[in-house]
Amino acid sequence: MINSMNTPLTEFKGIGPKKSQLFSRLGIFDVEDALYSFPRGYEDRRNVKSISSLEAEEEAMVLGTVAAVKKGRYVRGRKRTTRFLIKDETGTMEVLFFNAGYLEKNIKTGDKYWFFGKINKNGGSIAMMHPSFGKADEEDFNGDILPVYPLTSGLTQGERRKLSANALKYVDESLEVLNENIRRSNQLCGIEYALKNIHYPEDERHMRVAKYRLIFEELLLFSLGILMMKNKFLERKAGFVMSKVPYVSVFCADLPFGLTSGQKKAVEDISNDMSSGKRMNRLIQGDVGSGKTVVSAAAAYKAIKNGYQAAIMAPTEILAYQHYDTFKDFFDDKGITVKILNSSTSSNERKETLEMCEDGRADILIGTHAVFGKDVRFKDLALVVTDEQHRFGVAQREALNAKGRNPHIMVMTATPIPRTLALIMYGDMDVSVISDKPLGRKEIITKVFRGDERENAYRLVMDQIKKGHQAYIVTPLIESSENIDVRSSEEVFEEAKEYFGEYKIALLHGKMKQEEKDRIMNDFKEGNIQVLVSTVIIEVGINVPNATVMVIENSERFGLAQMHQLRGRVGRGSEQSFCILVLDKDTDVAVKRAEAMESFSDGFIIAEKDLALRGTGEFFGTRQHGIPDMRIADVVKHSKILKKAMEEAGRIVEKDSLLANEEHRKMKERIFSLYGEEEPRL
Ligand code: ADP
Ligand code: MG
């Protein structure tokens, strides 16, 4: 019996365990899933056209009888076509399929079928290429707009449609989660109308009204989830209300350089947050090289001067060491103790560091995941800084939070997140943006060379090292592989040794022992190595201002965001720097990316281009970045609706911050059922 939205599919007539298994592959487990898994498109069958009235280039539905099958011949290297001759009372047309020989068995001469597709006209002949089609018996064929769903092998479109049609019988007003007020002020149709018309639209207008409502609903529920989480976060008063003494200014005055106005503003924001009595939850977003590290040091200084401890987390060991060096430079002469914890820290050292954290002798602890270890305890941790946060999972962030009494949180990222996505990924955080770069930085010159012009790239590198500078050469792979046609770092390393003979060349990759990596990185920093051949492990954060050239080999294999990060390794001093992309395969996308790199240096613009080239799904990879799978909404495509939904969510939460009122009950239940027991996490 079907008595709730959570009734499993096997309760439907005709769906047994086997079919239900297939549906589950599409994420459909119960009635509700069937209703909320939407079509990817529609077939408009209202307008059956007679063959003689077909017009070129139109999309049309034709009903006809198969008069003949013409088997295509297989021509080497070409598509094999199968043709059917279709007749109705007014004329004849051809239907063509490529590489679909199996259809010769399925589409039978003498039977009646419908075909839906685009019309090609050539002289007197009429053809339809690769149409969708089906048997035109009374039952299956009706003059409707029919949904087209994503399928999985073993399920037919007809079976999937039938499921929707059946599930729709159980739709009524009780499914409505948006109250009348919300619907009216945002001009949204009711849920019954929406579900019926998204699956079986009466006409195009109905479908659009339905779609708008469902997109809005999805984005509204998500926005509400974020706001509730943010409120909950703010409710927790900080255990650490720090004095308003302007320690950060003291720290900044002592720096060898003046801060940029973006840095100043970020430092000010942080200082205010930490004194506000509320817990800080702030994202510092600044392009590569904008100088975020010093901002975190100012924050740490404030925490320590107030008598507390700070923890800094880096995504890689190399970066942890770099921060350690930087922080020691800042703090050694100020009587502040900085310690590092790494997987390679010796057990004696580790023991001592742990003791120092626990009894408070260590003021700042820097490290990678090691900082989350169960045995790590602090005396009074009041500030947690995560660098390049997108590398950290939520669980890790939480684990560290648990180590203090609601410590202030500061997150630094160079990932230039387009505004629409930032809203979603960091909706729960306050944001400071550092949009300027330290004075005297020159724009990096980016050049693209084809694989056979590699010589030019090396010449430019030679030029720079002759001037006393250093260079990176990044490759996508460590070892060469039979299957993949790219130049490995080992190969490039050998080549470079030959070409740059008199200079010191080194190879760095992820499979090396930690000590070896550290030694090489250190040598590079000290200027003892001129050319560093590396895999992408140097992608994030590395700071060697004397390095002025970045060569990216097989650049077609890198994403835009990644190349921008790599490019950010140079241009960190006052000298003119260069980024060279060596393109071995000039596919369309690769060329577009290279062009974008040549034309734009602003990380935000690059990110927008990247998003356009790849789409949201791939931009960040997966859910762990906090963007949940959306059923119908697309945060990029529907950014205008997202904005409206965000605004509505703001109005709702302002009046009823925990959605405790009866008029919001159903909405709240739905948010919980969508995102689990807890509100959506970022
Ligand atoms: P990122 O934002 O990419 O993490 P870093 O914090 O590593 O950048 O800073 C890059 C380099 O710029 C470092 O060498 C740092 O000392 C230097 N730097 C930071 N701020 C300034 C400034 N205001 N003026 C000059 N140099 C600066
Ligand atoms: Mg950094």
Side-chain angles (χ1 to χ4, degrees):
M1 202 180 65
I2 294 163
N3 50 11
S4 97
M5 280 292 123
N6 301 105
T7 306
L9 298 186
T10 41
E11 290 295 312
F12 281 113
K13 249 204 324 229
I15 299 184
K18 253 203 191 129
K19 285 289 168 205
S20 115
Q21 176 69 28
L22 291 175
F23 279 117
S24 73
R25 273 196 225 153
L26 298 169
I28 304 175
F29 297 89
D30 59 17
V31 182
E32 182 172 310
D33 296 333
L35 290 171
Y36 284 84
S37 302
F38 304 119
R40 63 172 163 79
Y42 300 90
E43 271 166 28
D44 190 348
R45 297 182 175 184
R46 285 166 304 175
N47 229 336
V48 176
K49 289 202 115 180
S50 57
I51 291 176
S52 66
S53 71
L54 291 171
E55 284 172 34
E57 300 299 306
E58 73 171 330
E59 280 210 324
M61 165 73 72
V62 171
L63 262 179
T65 310
V66 181
V69 183
K70 293 190 204 165
K71 291 190 187 181
R73 268 177 311 137
Y74 179 74
V75 185
R76 216 191 161 85
R78 277 184 39 195
K79 288 176 185 159
R80 195 175 91 118
T81 50
T82 306
R83 299 156 191 269
F84 298 91
L85 214 58
I86 309 298
K87 273 196 162 128
D88 70 3
E89 297 81 47
T90 66
T92 311
M93 72 169 192
E94 231 177 20
V95 164
L96 279 82
F97 294 94
F98 298 119
N99 294 336
Y102 59 92
L103 288 178
E104 289 157 18
K105 286 200 205 93
N106 295 357
I107 300 183
K108 296 197 181 86
T109 317
D111 284 359
K112 203 170 176 186
Y113 292 86
W114 60 265
F115 297 91
F116 181 82
K118 199 164 172 183
I119 305 302
N120 248 338
K121 273 192 159 177
N122 196 351
S125 74
I126 304 170
M128 218 186 240
M129 312 270 213
H130 253 289
S132 55
F133 67 95
K135 254 197 125 171
D137 44 43
E138 253 59 42
E139 237 198 293
D140 186 46
F141 187 81
N142 47 22
D144 284 339
I145 304 176
L146 288 188
V148 179
Y149 296 98
L151 294 175
T152 183
S153 102
L155 269 186
T156 66
Q157 199 57 256
E159 286 169 318
R160 176 64 187 86
R161 280 176 185 157
K162 201 161 174 185
L163 175 64
S164 293
N166 279 332
L168 279 171
K169 292 180 194 150
Y170 299 92
V171 169
D172 60 32
E173 278 309 306
S174 70
L175 283 181
E176 184 61 87
V177 297
L178 306 182
N179 67 39
E180 212 186 318
N181 256 336
I182 298 175
R183 292 204 311 271
R184 199 169 334 107
S185 55
N186 294 287
Q187 292 168 307
L188 306 172
C189 68
I191 191 65
E192 261 188 281
Y193 179 108
L195 288 174
K196 291 209 161 123
N197 282 290
I198 198 71
H199 290 286
Y200 284 92
E202 210 170 300
D203 58 28
E204 213 177 309
R205 198 188 63 83
H206 279 67
M207 186 272 285
R208 276 207 296 266
V209 170
K211 195 170 169 186
Y212 183 85
R213 134 99 207 206
L214 292 164
I215 292 171
F216 191 96
E217 172 183 321
E218 188 162 42
L219 295 172
L220 176 68
L221 296 182
F222 184 72
S223 307
L224 279 169
I226 290 176
L227 289 183
M228 283 168 72
M229 180 171 60
K230 188 169 180 170
N231 282 343
K232 220 169 160 184
F233 192 94
L234 289 179
E235 251 177 35
R236 279 182 267 166
K237 289 246 155 69
F240 308 95
V241 187
M242 301 191 184
S243 83
K244 293 206 162 67
V245 177
Y247 289 114
V248 290
S249 319
V250 176
F251 175 81
C252 295
D254 218 26
L255 291 168
F257 44 71
L259 292 186
T260 64
S261 63
Q263 285 172 315
K264 271 187 207 152
K265 179 76 174 55
V267 168
E268 206 179 287
D269 288 344
I270 287 161
S271 183
N272 289 338
D273 286 352
M274 287 165 83
S275 302
S276 71
K278 283 194 176 150
R279 191 177 171 199
M280 170 165 75
N281 188 26
R282 185 170 291 277
L283 176 75
I284 307 294
Q285 191 177 44
D287 210 348
V288 284
S290 62
K292 295 183 290 296
T293 315
V294 65
V295 175
S296 69
Y301 187 75
K302 173 157 180 154
I304 290 150
K305 280 293 168 189
N306 277 277
Y308 303 114
Q309 292 166 296
I312 319 285
M313 295 192 296
T316 66
E317 306 232 325
I318 291 183
L319 266 188
Y321 268 107
Q322 181 176 290
H323 282 329
Y324 178 63
D325 288 340
T326 310
F327 274 65
K328 277 178 80 70
D329 277 351
F330 285 141
F331 292 126
D332 266 357
D333 62 349
K334 296 185 169 64
I336 289 172
T337 309
V338 185
K339 300 299 283 182
I340 184 162
L341 206 56
N342 258 334
S343 60
S344 55
T345 315
S346 77
S347 64
N348 275 344
E349 239 180 291
R350 186 181 168 83
K351 195 159 159 273
E352 200 199 342
T353 301
L354 290 181
E355 276 169 20
M356 290 175 71
C357 282
E358 193 160 7
D359 65 23
R361 274 177 296 153
D363 298 303
I364 302 177
L365 183 68
I366 298 178
T368 57
H369 302 79
V371 178
F372 304 110
K374 274 213 184 69
D375 50 350
V376 184
R377 279 177 290 269
F378 292 90
K379 179 154 179 271
D380 221 349
L381 180 66
L383 172 70
V384 174
V385 180
T386 42
D387 192 9
E388 306 297 350
Q389 182 257 357
H390 59 288
R391 296 280 179 112
F392 284 105
V394 172
Q396 293 163 321
R397 211 163 109 193
E398 295 278 301
L400 202 81
N401 294 350
K403 290 198 177 295
R405 300 178 279 130
N406 296 335
H408 293 294
I409 303 242
M410 171 179 168
V411 171
M412 303 191 285
T413 182
T415 311
I417 304 148
R419 205 173 313 134
T420 42
L421 291 190
L423 219 56
I424 283 190
M425 290 183 66
Y426 298 116
D428 68 324
M429 306 187 90
D430 299 310
V431 181
S432 303
V433 179
I434 305 178
S435 50
D436 40 7
K437 291 228 163 135
L439 226 60
R441 297 275 165 85
K442 294 196 177 71
E443 184 123 322
I444 300 165
I445 296 174
T446 300
K447 295 186 176 189
V448 182
F449 292 121
R450 311 279 148 178
D452 53 9
E453 306 166 318
R454 179 169 284 110
E455 185 76 21
N456 295 339
Y458 281 18
R459 215 171 293 137
L460 205 151
V461 171
M462 187 65 113
D463 244 29
Q464 289 296 304
I465 54 183
K466 275 189 179 150
K467 288 183 183 157
H469 297 307
Q470 292 159 279
Y472 299 96
I473 303 180
V474 171
T475 66
L477 292 181
I478 303 172
E479 295 160 34
S480 45
S481 146
E482 280 176 24
N483 309 325
I484 312 173
D485 189 19
V486 302
R487 290 152 50 77
S488 68
S489 50
E490 281 171 351
E491 224 173 299
V492 172
F493 175 56
E494 292 307 321
E495 231 178 71
K497 273 202 293 205
E498 208 153 288
Y499 190 94
F500 302 105
E502 56 193 296
Y503 295 99
K504 186 123 192 335
I505 320 296
L507 175 64
L508 183 75
H509 60 69
K511 283 194 184 152
M512 288 175 164
K513 284 230 173 66
Q514 190 57 41
E515 297 97 86
E516 206 178 348
K517 282 193 269 187
D518 295 340
R519 187 176 49 75
I520 291 169
M521 235 15 256
N522 219 34
D523 274 354
F524 189 67
K525 271 188 185 166
E526 303 278 312
N528 302 330
I529 292 170
Q530 276 72 47
V531 180
L532 185 63
V533 179
S534 166
T535 55
V536 289
I537 60 170
I538 57 145
E539 178 188 341
V540 192
I542 295 294
N543 185 40
V544 180
N546 189 44
T548 53
V549 199
M550 164 64 67
V551 180
I552 304 177
E553 288 271 0
N554 287 100
S555 66
E556 70 277 3
R557 295 184 64 89
F558 293 91
L560 253 183
Q562 199 174 22
M563 285 196 279
H564 180 69
Q565 264 288 344
L566 284 168
R567 177 166 63 184
R569 297 313 107 216
V570 297
R572 302 189 143 244
S574 51
E575 300 293 331
Q576 177 63 57
S577 289
F578 303 86
C579 173
I580 299 163
L581 309 178
V582 183
L583 255 186
D584 270 300
K585 280 209 186 70
D586 38 10
T587 61
D588 213 27
V589 188
V591 171
K592 280 204 180 109
R593 282 194 209 124
E595 281 168 1
M597 286 288 289
E598 262 181 322
S599 324
F600 306 106
S601 58
D602 182 322
F604 282 87
I605 297 174
I606 298 259
E608 300 280 1
K609 297 276 166 204
D610 204 15
L611 202 55
L613 280 175
R614 288 199 287 171
T616 9
E618 260 185 81
F619 187 76
F620 289 115
T622 54
R623 307 178 60 110
Q624 67 157 327
H625 298 294
I627 303 173
D629 294 335
M630 298 259 169
R631 285 182 185 272
I632 191 166
D634 177 321
V635 291
V636 177
K637 231 167 51 195
H638 306 132
S639 59
K640 279 196 192 126
I641 309 179
L642 174 62
K643 191 159 169 276
K644 283 190 185 153
M646 280 263 172
E647 284 162 8
E648 180 64 49
R651 283 191 292 270
I652 293 170
V653 168
E654 198 166 303
K655 280 184 280 177
D656 180 14
S657 67
L658 296 173
L659 304 187
N661 295 350
E662 176 56 26
E663 58 165 350
H664 297 139
R665 182 176 55 83
K666 285 201 157 166
M667 199 155 65
K668 186 176 180 175
E669 281 167 10
R670 182 118 189 120
I671 292 171
F672 282 14
S673 89
L674 279 175
Y675 302 116
E677 283 303 298
E678 297 155 69
E679 295 90 297
R681 298 234 203 134
L682 295 177

